[in-house]
Amino acid sequence: MSKLITNSPIFVSKLLHRSKMPAFTLYGARGSTNTDRVRLTLAEGGFTDYELLLVNLQQGEQKSEENMKRHPWGKIPVVTFPEGFTLYESRAICKYLAKKYSFPLLPPDSNVEAAALFDQAQSAEMLYFADPAGRISFEKFAKKFMGLPPDETVVSGALRSVETYFDVAERLLQHKDYMAGNDFTLADIYYIPLIQRLFACGYADVILSRKAVSAWWDRCINRPAIQKLLAADKEAAAAAAAARK
């Protein structure tokens, strides 16, 4: 697999270098938890026939006229298909790709109860985890790159919400292996980028101090496809850091 990176404002990392057009284009950014949610889904599905176009968030390219045509709120990720179909919002993208390419990451539509439990798990992740975890990520991680100090009051309140969330998850995960039941699904993938960010911000104990939550996390993070992607990202980050020296 070859990779091409250009020096254009929105530079291109081609995941495949083939004569045929890729199935779709994913617009995203390195270090973006929302982009990583989609990339992890594709990795788990074993799907590589796409092109990744990296948007420079520090230069504000997400608010460019070009990107605003793809995402009306000027955010990432976005996927576009050759026939003109465009979709934004990471969870919507993940679910669409899983259905379109038959990734084994969703309950079958024929099992109405399992599908309902998946929707329930997805809603819980979005409402009770991603919101406060995202605030911690912004204050303790993103603000570093903006040259701004974190608002510790915001962090403290968000951390209490995350702790409360995982107190409940600890009880629930004593009766099932994964968030939507006993099968690994998109509902589990959705957590991975922000939990990694919590680890990076020094809050690993939120996960590791809870036996059932920690065991669930180990099952998720040690999946071969996820390990392979994370290792590749770590290697790419080290190479980028060396190039800046």
Side-chain angles (χ1 to χ4, degrees):
M1 179 164 55
S2 61
K3 181 179 285 187
L4 172 65
I5 298 179
T6 73
N7 293 319
S8 61
I10 296 180
F11 62 94
V12 182
S13 173
K14 287 194 174 179
L15 299 186
L16 286 181
H17 189 60
R18 296 180 177 174
S19 58
K20 75 179 186 70
M21 182 179 293
F24 62 87
T25 298
L26 168 62
Y27 293 86
R30 297 292 187 195
S32 159
T33 55
N34 292 324
T35 301
D36 287 345
R37 198 171 285 124
V38 178
R39 295 176 63 237
L40 287 164
T41 297
L42 290 164
E44 270 293 324
F47 194 91
T48 59
D49 186 14
Y50 69 99
E51 184 177 58
L52 175 63
L53 298 191
L54 298 180
V55 178
N56 191 319
L57 302 183
Q58 289 179 300
Q59 293 183 12
E61 290 176 357
Q62 70 275 23
K63 301 297 184 182
S64 67
E65 182 179 350
E66 181 183 2
N67 196 60
M68 293 290 284
K69 291 177 181 177
R70 293 187 289 263
H71 194 309
W73 283 275
K75 296 181 180 294
I76 54 166
V78 180
V79 291
T80 62
F81 288 76
E83 63 272 22
F85 179 67
T86 298
L87 188 65
Y88 53 83
E89 296 304 312
S90 64
R91 292 169 186 80
I93 293 170
C94 291
K95 196 168 184 179
Y96 172 75
L97 295 174
K99 284 181 172 287
K100 183 176 179 68
Y101 298 112
S102 300
F103 300 161
L105 296 171
L106 290 168
D109 290 335
S110 58
N111 189 332
V112 179
E113 287 73 24
L117 289 173
F118 172 87
D119 289 342
Q120 174 180 269
Q122 177 178 260
S123 294
E125 181 271 332
M126 288 178 63
L127 294 172
Y128 311 135
F129 168 73
D131 178 63
R135 277 183 270 136
I136 294 170
S137 175
F138 178 74
E139 294 294 334
K140 301 291 282 189
F141 190 86
K143 276 190 173 181
K144 281 185 180 180
F145 297 94
M146 300 164 67
L148 298 172
D151 185 328
E152 295 295 348
T153 301
V154 171
V155 173
S156 179
L159 185 58
R160 283 196 298 272
S161 294
V162 170
E163 293 269 10
T164 299
Y165 177 79
F166 281 115
D167 284 343
V168 175
E170 175 70 12
R171 295 196 299 271
L172 297 175
L173 286 167
Q174 290 174 19
H175 307 288
K176 58 185 178 180
D177 289 338
Y178 296 100
M179 290 298 183
N182 287 321
D183 295 320
F184 180 80
T185 68
L186 288 179
D188 303 290
I189 286 178
Y190 294 161
Y191 286 87
I192 293 174
L194 276 172
I195 288 181
Q196 285 187 294
R197 190 59 51 83
L198 290 176
F199 272 66
C201 293
Y203 300 115
D205 194 55
V206 169
I207 302 299
L208 301 181
S209 66
R210 293 166 172 82
K211 185 177 180 180
V213 170
S214 182
W216 161 78
W217 176 245
D218 283 343
R219 288 191 290 273
C220 292
I221 203 68
N222 288 315
R223 293 176 67 86
I226 289 174
Q227 279 291 302
K228 184 176 180 180
L229 179 63
L230 296 180
D233 281 356
K234 186 175 180 180
E235 183 179 331
R244 288 194 295 268
K245 291 182 180 179

